Amino acid sequence: MSQAAAPAPVHSPATDAAARATGLSKVYGTGETRVVALDSVTVEFGRSRFTAIMGPSGSGKSTLMHCMAGLDSVTAGSARIGDTELAGLSDHHLTRLRRDKIGFVFQAFNLLPTLTAYENITLPLAIADRRPDQDWVDTVVRTVGLSGRLEHRPSQLSGGQQQRVAVARALASRPEIIFADEPTGNLDSRSGAEVLGFLRQSVWELGQTVVMVTHDPVAAAYADRVVFLADGRLTDELLAPTAEGVLDRMRLFDAKNRTS
Ligand code: ADP
Ligand code: MG
């Protein structure tokens, strides 16, 4: 059945949370292989805000993102998207929630090579049997700066352009929140800056909510707020970050760890 496009998002003051974790824990394995990937994490991701999640390798960044996005189950605590509690949702409901409310961008672009850029961007809508909101798709395509590239296939696009297609695909369904895991990890710094600039613009101009995992202070400086994870715990946060400020916090944390 065909469904009308979602209404325009409300650009509300960024005080309410688009997603929140409360006492969220995630344990993998049992016995000797038991790993506490997340240890009672409580955090909110503000609506129409750009939040970066930082931390050393293995600190639980991807696990937090996966639990918040319903890609992985939680061991204890709560993960909410808007008013929806993810713990206890059936697979069917989780699939629908991911399809209707969440956009994903991964390090690997995950585009279909036989489809054009435009077809890749609108594929999730086609799968959901939703008619694209043409004005919205046009706005997204313009914002990403892909207007002249819509008929190109991924192999005819640069890495940065391919990732911009992936971001446009994530935005096409007007999700409540976009989760991006190291979206610039496979890009050179110039292409990375393009993609980050677009994510930034999607928050400012389109009111999008973005949560991005990164280990790069320069990437984190595009965000409104940075939260720091270490050993599965939330350790720090920084508002209106600069790359220098983020680096300072990382150095401070390293120094504290060395002396404790
Ligand atoms: P990050 O993204 O910050 O590098 P992850 O969230 O991927 O860290 O991993 C956090 C911890 O959980 C690590 O110790 C990792 O080895 C462990 N882990 C992640 N996924 C799994 C899994 N599927 N099975 C077992 N352990 C896992
Ligand atoms: Mg990771």
Side-chain angles (χ1 to χ4, degrees):
M1 193 179 73
S2 204
Q3 198 181 317
V10 179
H11 292 233
S12 52
T15 48
D16 58 335
R20 74 177 81 216
T22 311
L24 177 60
S25 293
K26 175 68 185 180
V27 179
Y28 290 110
T30 53
E32 287 194 354
T33 61
R34 188 171 186 272
V35 177
V36 180
L38 293 177
D39 187 2
S40 197
V41 170
T42 297
V43 66
E44 291 188 0
F45 299 112
R47 202 177 293 283
S48 300
R49 287 295 182 98
F50 188 171
T51 308
I53 303 175
M54 291 199 81
S57 178
S59 58
K61 304 183 296 295
S62 295
T63 304
L64 178 58
M65 204 193 92
H66 292 161
C67 288
M68 293 309 298
L71 290 168
D72 209 340
S73 63
V74 314
T75 305
S78 145
R80 282 169 180 268
I81 298 292
D83 293 331
T84 307
E85 173 62 57
L86 271 54
L89 279 191
S90 66
D91 283 350
H92 170 72
H93 281 104
L94 274 177
T95 303
R96 276 189 42 183
L97 175 101
R98 284 196 300 268
R99 192 189 72 190
D100 295 339
K101 298 202 167 169
I102 301 176
F104 294 101
V105 183
F106 297 101
Q107 188 170 335
F109 317 133
N110 296 330
L111 301 178
L112 288 185
T114 57
L115 300 185
T116 64
Y118 184 81
E119 288 165 344
N120 267 288
I121 291 168
T122 53
L123 182 67
L125 295 171
I127 289 172
D129 202 10
R130 274 170 64 181
R131 199 157 12 94
D133 173 344
Q134 202 55 53
D135 285 347
W136 177 251
V137 172
D138 289 348
T139 302
V140 166
V141 162
R142 232 186 357 261
T143 313
V144 214
L146 285 168
S147 302
R149 299 278 189 284
L150 292 178
E151 296 308 315
H152 289 55
R153 291 183 205 286
S155 63
Q156 299 168 310
L157 298 170
S158 70
Q161 289 167 340
Q162 289 183 57
Q163 192 62 312
R164 284 192 277 149
V165 172
V167 175
R169 175 181 59 188
L171 276 168
S173 63
R174 293 189 165 188
E176 295 213 358
I177 188 163
I178 288 183
F179 289 105
D181 196 352
E182 307 264 4
T184 57
N186 277 337
L187 301 176
D188 60 63
S189 59
R190 198 180 59 86
S191 305
E194 276 173 17
V195 167
L196 290 163
F198 172 57
L199 283 171
R200 180 66 265 177
Q201 246 177 302
S202 76
V203 174
W204 270 333
E205 293 177 16
L206 310 177
Q208 186 60 58
T209 302
V210 176
V211 176
M212 173 180 74
V213 167
T214 182
H215 59 252
D216 175 4
V218 174
Y222 282 78
D224 298 304
R225 169 174 170 243
V226 185
V227 299
F228 294 87
L229 275 180
D231 293 329
R233 293 208 180 101
L234 210 69
T235 56
D236 206 352
E237 78 172 299
L238 194 57
L239 295 174
T242 60
E244 260 313 301
V246 171
L247 261 178
D248 282 347
R249 289 290 170 103
M250 291 163 79
R251 289 198 198 103
L252 196 68
F253 183 78
D254 277 350
K256 250 194 267 170
N257 269 11
R258 248 177 276 126
T259 52
S260 62

